[in-house]
Amino acid sequence: MDWQKGERSRNVEVDSGRGGGGGFGFGGGRGMGIGGLIVLAILGWVFFKDPTALLDQGGQAGPTTTQVSEPAQVDPQQRDFVSAILGSTEKTWGDIFAANGRQYVDPTLDLFSGGVRTACGLASTAVGPFYCPGDQKVYLDLSFFQELQDRFGAAGDFARAYVIAHEVGHHVQKLLGVFDQVQQARERGAPMEGANGLSVRQELQADCFAGVWANRSEQRLHWLQAGDVEEALNAASKIGDDTLQRETRGTVVPDSFTHGTSAQRVKWFKAGLESGQVSRCDTFSGDI
């Protein structure tokens, strides 16, 4: 991927480490509690998740596990890469929104290390990349890219770009009102987890939106090289619920799905990639 061709974003910030507060509470107090954690996990804020790594929103009691946030040490080339990918998403979605008479509001991408305080609570590196609709920020610890390569065998610049584009896809959902609609449906009793749950449908739509970005950015920049598409598809296939559960549990439990199977994630990324059309990303109607 010739990512140097990408437009640079001005919306990448490096976390100073001051936002991490006193640590990450695993006790009681005014934390989210287990119900809040379930909602957090299924609303699709995280790309590759350990739900317990995104915890309370202030105040804690009882036993705690403390992880101090550290100032992020970011390699200049890595920051430039992130800026180029984010900038290309801004251009892509800005054009799409403008063509439909709407204004796209750029998200901020926060690079952190160890832990970070967000409008959605305190988060540690273990949560992986995630989007917080409360402050409209994408959060990324760059160490995740190494884990993506070492643990899942999903290497390459385009695989990493797909991760960023997926989280930006959640921001697009926020702007389009999808988050509010999912929350309202949840309050009416619609199932969130499970093979056909709203969480899975929301995540697959973010994958499709990432595909739309890939299509549109390639048309504009001609920056993809041999093997790039395969890198992204490989990454999508490695982080499906069924694949992850098989690796960690030895069995697959569809009733607990939150992100979709490997086949579904590949299918919907390809739907956006091949069409470049947002209209092809309706994961909330019919079969997925």
Side-chain angles (χ1 to χ4, degrees):
M1 180 183 191
D2 191 6
W3 58 265
Q4 290 85 354
K5 291 182 177 180
E7 306 89 346
R8 299 313 193 260
S9 172
R10 297 182 177 180
N11 297 306
V12 177
E13 61 183 26
V14 178
D15 198 89
S16 66
R18 293 190 299 271
F24 300 90
F26 285 72
R30 292 192 297 114
M32 285 185 177
I34 188 64
L37 284 176
I38 293 173
V39 172
L40 180 70
I42 64 183
L43 279 181
W45 296 345
V46 294
F47 177 88
F48 164 75
K49 71 287 182 192
D50 170 4
T52 62
L54 226 111
L55 291 172
D56 71 37
Q57 298 188 34
Q60 56 217 30
T64 62
T65 296
T66 300
Q67 179 174 346
V68 178
S69 176
E70 301 174 354
Q73 301 297 319
V74 179
D75 177 87
Q77 186 174 23
Q78 286 188 310
R79 178 172 180 170
D80 194 35
F81 170 78
V82 170
S83 178
I85 302 304
L86 185 64
S88 71
T89 66
E90 292 168 353
K91 174 61 176 174
T92 293
W93 289 110
D95 289 348
I96 291 174
F97 271 56
N100 288 275
R102 303 185 60 167
Q103 182 175 1
Y104 180 69
V105 179
D106 297 339
T108 298
L109 194 151
D110 185 293
L111 296 174
F112 72 96
S113 177
V116 66
R117 183 184 298 277
T118 82
C120 298
L122 298 176
S124 77
T125 296
V127 79
F130 67 98
Y131 172 73
C132 175
D135 53 25
Q136 298 189 28
K137 288 186 177 183
V138 172
Y139 290 89
L140 171 65
D141 187 324
L142 289 170
S143 65
F144 173 77
F145 288 154
Q146 194 64 44
E147 181 179 12
L148 192 66
Q149 174 179 315
D150 295 345
R151 179 180 174 187
F152 298 101
D157 289 335
F158 197 51
R160 298 178 179 189
Y162 157 63
V163 171
I164 296 171
H166 172 95
E167 297 307 332
V168 171
H170 285 311
H171 177 65
V172 173
Q173 290 176 322
K174 169 65 175 177
L175 298 182
L176 294 178
V178 174
F179 269 90
D180 292 338
Q181 293 172 23
V182 168
Q183 175 66 9
Q184 292 165 8
R186 184 186 69 83
E187 292 172 353
R188 294 194 299 268
M192 296 295 296
E193 291 185 295
N196 289 302
L198 290 177
S199 175
V200 169
R201 293 176 182 272
Q202 188 173 10
E203 290 296 331
L204 294 178
Q205 185 176 68
D207 281 333
C208 188
F209 286 168
V212 170
W213 158 79
N215 176 293
R216 298 293 187 98
S217 65
E218 169 62 10
Q219 289 186 36
R220 186 176 67 257
L221 299 172
H222 305 290
W223 60 353
L224 295 185
Q225 299 169 330
D228 283 342
V229 171
E230 288 75 15
E231 288 178 0
L233 294 176
N234 177 55
S237 70
K238 293 297 180 64
I239 43 85
D241 284 324
D242 55 338
T243 300
L244 292 175
Q245 289 185 359
R246 193 174 293 111
E247 288 182 358
T248 58
R249 303 179 181 180
T251 185
V252 176
V253 185
D255 287 347
S256 66
F257 283 179
T258 59
H259 281 58
T261 66
S262 293
Q264 287 173 321
R265 301 201 71 166
V266 169
K267 169 188 173 181
W268 284 101
F269 177 73
K270 287 179 67 175
L273 175 66
E274 293 172 357
S275 69
Q277 300 298 319
V278 175
S279 60
R280 291 289 304 276
C281 297
D282 182 9
T283 58
F284 291 90
S285 300
D287 297 332
I288 51 177

